[in-house]
Amino acid sequence: MTACWLFLALWLPLHGSEIEAPSAETVRIASFNLLNLFDNVDDPDRDDEGTDPKALEERQVLARTIASLEADVLGVQEVENREVLESLNRHLDKPFPYVELIEGNDGRGIDCGLLSRFPIESATSHRLQTLEGGGRFSRDFPVFRLRLARDEYLHVGVVHLKSKRGEAKVSDGKRKGEAAAAVAIIERLRALDPKTPCVVLGDFNDTRGSDPLSPFFRALEDPTAKIEEKQRYSYVYRGTPEQIDFILTTKDIKATGAGALHEDNSGSDHAPVWIDWAVGRTVQRTPAPPQQGWPKIRREAIDARDLEGLEKHLLQEVAVTGRVTKVHRPGDYAAILNFHPEYKKAVTVYIPAEAFPRLPDLDSLVGKTVTARGPVSRRGPLGTGVYSIRVTQSAQLTAER
């Protein structure tokens, strides 16, 4: 037994720069829902026009959050494709040498992927597996085999279970079916390869103790349960903090630390969670490839009421300018800037509640000329939809003095 095991009781919920890099004998495993990491390309086979790609400023914030984790293995959710994940990775302070993503079942195109400092020896999709009661995984349950050192391996399964949208009985049943199928896959892996530890991580879209997740918590350990209680959440639902992102392990993984990274501005509506695993021997990380500098983008200047110009630049970064006629608040979850009394006749600026602290005094913008920067999205069919720019960073919005 190494000295690392003596610190099993030390569970430190750390923040940002306080998180130290893991030691040579420790592997840090993390999970992060990246909140619609979409590219700027219209996929003709997916309904992606209504999902806002992240503006450059948002991707920079996301990269800083990932860098703060100092993770060796990072499972991610809500990613449109491998190319956009590789692009984000190239701009990290320390890019991961291995990036993988397998296209899944989601109609909008959000998938699960993995970034690793250890070689990914295989990636296995289970998107075609039939669940008990019918249907398939909402996204997929990809399982990755990593080589940590000579004769030292790890299986990592990444989940993004069915959301709670729709009838509760239906969505609960789907999540429980996904949970049971994922556990069965892990058990088959263990039967074939009992010496290789397994991790299941991701966005479970439900809480600890819920019936849909019971197959997971009966079969696997939950190191994140020992995070200090006031820090033990990964999502705020209608003002209530709750943990819906987990890292579950087989019993041969003894975690020596765990945490949830809570930042005022993380680039996502989820907080990443992480655990440290003391392997007991030196692991063999692959050196990080060179970092790529952030591009200098040219944003086309477009009038807020120029619908033709907005359509021509769909999903592209633009700078839209117009006079704000109204700040519409459909609820406590968002504010919308209108640039025309008939809102469909101009672009709208969508500001989620999480961005309110960075964008105070929105009501003071009424009557002022405002410029919003970011990709254009369109909700609804051509000619009948609403053009929109999502703004979450103060640098995306400027007003006349």
Side-chain angles (χ1 to χ4, degrees):
M1 179 178 294
T2 69
C4 294
W5 302 117
L6 299 177
F7 295 94
L8 184 59
L10 299 181
W11 299 82
L12 303 177
L14 301 176
H15 303 263
S17 60
E18 297 177 16
I19 299 182
E20 296 181 356
S23 71
E25 294 187 350
T26 301
V27 174
R28 178 163 298 149
I29 303 168
S31 178
F32 193 14
N33 182 317
L34 301 183
L35 181 60
N36 294 328
L37 182 60
F38 274 55
D39 62 22
N40 298 90
V41 179
D42 181 8
D43 185 342
D45 299 318
R46 298 283 190 180
D47 184 20
D48 61 349
E49 296 88 349
T51 300
D52 305 278
K54 287 188 183 296
L56 174 65
E57 294 85 354
E58 292 181 289
R59 286 181 278 129
Q60 290 172 329
V61 170
L62 200 63
R64 288 198 295 269
T65 303
I66 292 173
S68 296
L69 288 169
E70 294 281 1
D72 292 310
V73 178
L74 175 63
V76 293
Q77 305 85 48
E78 292 200 18
V79 181
E80 186 177 18
N81 51 53
R82 189 177 69 250
E83 288 75 17
V84 72
L85 184 59
E86 289 175 336
S87 176
L88 177 66
N89 180 60
R90 288 193 293 270
H91 297 108
L92 299 179
D93 288 345
K94 293 190 297 184
F96 289 83
Y98 306 100
V99 179
E100 188 53 85
L101 179 144
I102 304 174
E103 296 288 340
N105 296 322
D106 187 85
R108 193 161 57 91
I110 52 174
D111 300 312
C112 301
L114 193 79
L115 301 99
S116 174
R117 305 206 181 279
F118 307 105
I120 300 175
E121 294 206 333
S122 67
T124 305
S125 170
H126 297 94
R127 70 182 184 87
L128 300 180
Q129 178 158 326
T130 301
L131 308 180
E132 184 178 346
R136 294 172 174 167
F137 283 103
S138 299
R139 265 59 78 160
D140 192 1
F141 179 53
V143 177
F144 305 89
R145 180 178 171 86
L146 311 183
R147 188 178 74 249
L148 308 184
R150 184 177 179 182
D151 300 324
E152 189 79 47
Y153 298 90
L154 173 69
H155 285 129
V156 180
V158 185
V159 301
H160 186 183
L161 302 186
K162 170 72 174 68
S163 74
K164 290 187 176 181
R165 291 189 181 92
E167 185 182 350
K169 183 178 180 180
V170 174
S171 65
D172 287 356
K174 180 62 177 287
R175 280 194 305 285
K176 190 167 186 178
E178 291 178 300
V183 167
I185 290 166
I186 294 300
E187 288 176 343
R188 287 200 300 270
L189 274 175
R190 293 287 278 181
L192 292 170
D193 186 7
K195 293 183 179 181
T196 298
C198 298
V199 171
V200 177
L201 56 79
D203 180 354
F204 290 66
N205 264 320
D206 217 328
T207 55
R208 182 184 290 104
S210 66
D211 180 64
L213 299 191
S214 59
F216 280 124
F217 289 93
R218 283 197 301 266
L220 299 169
E221 304 292 303
D222 177 17
T224 64
K226 295 187 178 182
I227 299 173
E228 184 181 343
E229 186 175 1
K230 65 180 181 181
Q231 300 293 335
R232 199 187 309 144
Y233 67 94
S234 62
Y235 188 78
V236 179
Y237 179 68
R238 295 181 178 177
T240 301
E242 56 186 24
Q243 185 180 355
I244 62 174
D245 300 83
F246 297 93
I247 301 173
L248 308 180
T249 71
T250 47
K251 292 182 179 180
D252 44 1
I253 290 181
K254 303 299 183 182
T256 57
L261 177 61
H262 298 296
E263 302 275 40
D264 293 333
N265 186 14
S266 70
S268 174
D269 55 351
H270 287 245
V273 294
W274 57 269
I275 68 168
D276 279 348
W277 168 33
V279 179
R281 57 181 291 192
T282 300
V283 294
Q284 298 170 359
R285 297 179 177 89
T286 302
Q291 180 194 31
Q292 180 176 304
W294 290 98
K296 292 183 179 180
I297 60 173
R298 178 185 178 276
R299 289 182 165 118
E300 187 75 18
I302 300 177
D303 185 274
R305 300 186 180 191
D306 181 4
L307 301 185
E308 183 177 341
L310 292 165
E311 178 65 26
K312 288 180 179 178
H313 293 84
L314 192 63
L315 302 180
Q316 304 304 307
E317 294 262 7
V318 297
V320 171
T321 301
R323 187 175 64 85
V324 176
T325 60
K326 180 182 179 180
V327 178
H328 175 54
R329 298 182 184 273
D332 58 3
Y333 61 88
I336 299 173
L337 306 186
N338 293 339
F339 292 90
H340 194 287
E342 298 180 45
Y343 68 93
K344 288 188 178 182
K345 293 186 176 181
V347 74
T348 59
V349 173
Y350 180 88
I351 303 169
E354 66 197 54
F356 289 173
R358 298 185 289 278
L359 296 162
D361 303 323
L362 290 174
D363 293 315
S364 68
L365 299 178
V366 175
K368 292 184 178 180
T369 298
V370 169
T371 298
R373 300 169 183 84
V376 180
S377 64
R378 170 167 46 80
R379 291 170 174 81
L382 178 62
T384 62
V386 178
Y387 293 95
S388 177
I389 294 176
R390 176 186 171 92
V391 168
T392 65
Q393 307 301 317
S394 58
Q396 290 181 258
L397 200 68
T398 55
E400 65 179 7
R401 293 184 180 276

